[in-house]
Amino acid sequence: ARAYGRRMTRANDRAERGVAWRAPALVALVVGVLVVALFLVVDRRSSAPVADAPSPSLSGRPVVAFVGDSYSAGSEASSPDKRWTTVLSAERGWNEINAAVPGMGYDVGRPTQHYASQVARAAASKPGTVIISGGWNDVARGVPTATIVEGLRETPAAVTKHVPEARVVVIAPIGPASSPPPDLVRLRDAAAPVVRSSGATWLDLDFPLTGHREWISPDGLHPNDAGYKRLAELTNARLN
């Protein structure tokens, strides 16, 4: 009887130790399941559609979209906030929407990257003003003046189509630091009456980089920070 009692005592001890060992494991398993379940609930909530809320940074600030080429995109600027579009927007208290694509033009880049297509993308932001700047790429690639002028008709019309209430400003081709080629001058002269007849504002900066190599970056083509600042200053001064 005593031997049997000792065997039962040892069996009970082992059983108690087994329960004691399994209890924490069971608790950990339950906690783990709860954590996973909570994660799945939160993940589903975070991936559910959420209504767009107005960004605080846009409150009370006019939205202005910029369409153009590498000059408007800020190529060779030391940082995005040094490009002329951003400097101008900061000076005027605008919210900048920059849709410019380097290398593009009124005709160059058809059908997905030229200026009229940039307007279509920028229209989603509902800008109150659209500023279009460029034309040098078209001239440099040999696009006939008449074809570029057709693009000058098309681009303001695209603004009117997508954002009927927006003001349209077209900046004359800026050109390089060297003397502007005759085709660029010819384009500027042909473009002015076309733009004005469309109801858009024509802004001629008079080839502002010409003769100022100190405003050109080491690549010999794009403005440096000082050049972009100068473009912003001239645009700000001449834009009513």
Side-chain angles (χ1 to χ4, degrees), residues 66-77 79-86 96 98-103 118 133 222 228:
F66 293 86
V67 167
D69 53 22
S70 56
Y71 277 29
S72 293
S75 295
E76 298 301 313
S79 65
D81 64 347
K82 298 295 184 182
R83 60 189 178 186
W84 73 267
T85 59
T86 307
E96 174 193 3
N98 195 309
V101 180
Q118 293 177 28
S133 176
H222 298 95
Y228 283 125

Side-chain angles (χ1 to χ4, degrees), residues 41-63:
V41 170
V42 172
D43 185 60
R44 276 197 291 270
R45 287 179 179 175
S46 65
S47 61
V50 179
D52 290 335
S55 170
S57 64
L58 306 187
S59 301
R61 297 173 60 189
V63 177

Side-chain angles (χ1 to χ4, degrees), residues 88-110:
L88 177 65
S89 297
E91 179 67 25
R92 292 209 162 208
W94 294 340
N95 179 64
E96 174 193 3
I97 304 298
N98 195 309
V101 180
M104 299 301 106
Y106 288 102
D107 187 72
V108 172
R110 287 182 183 274

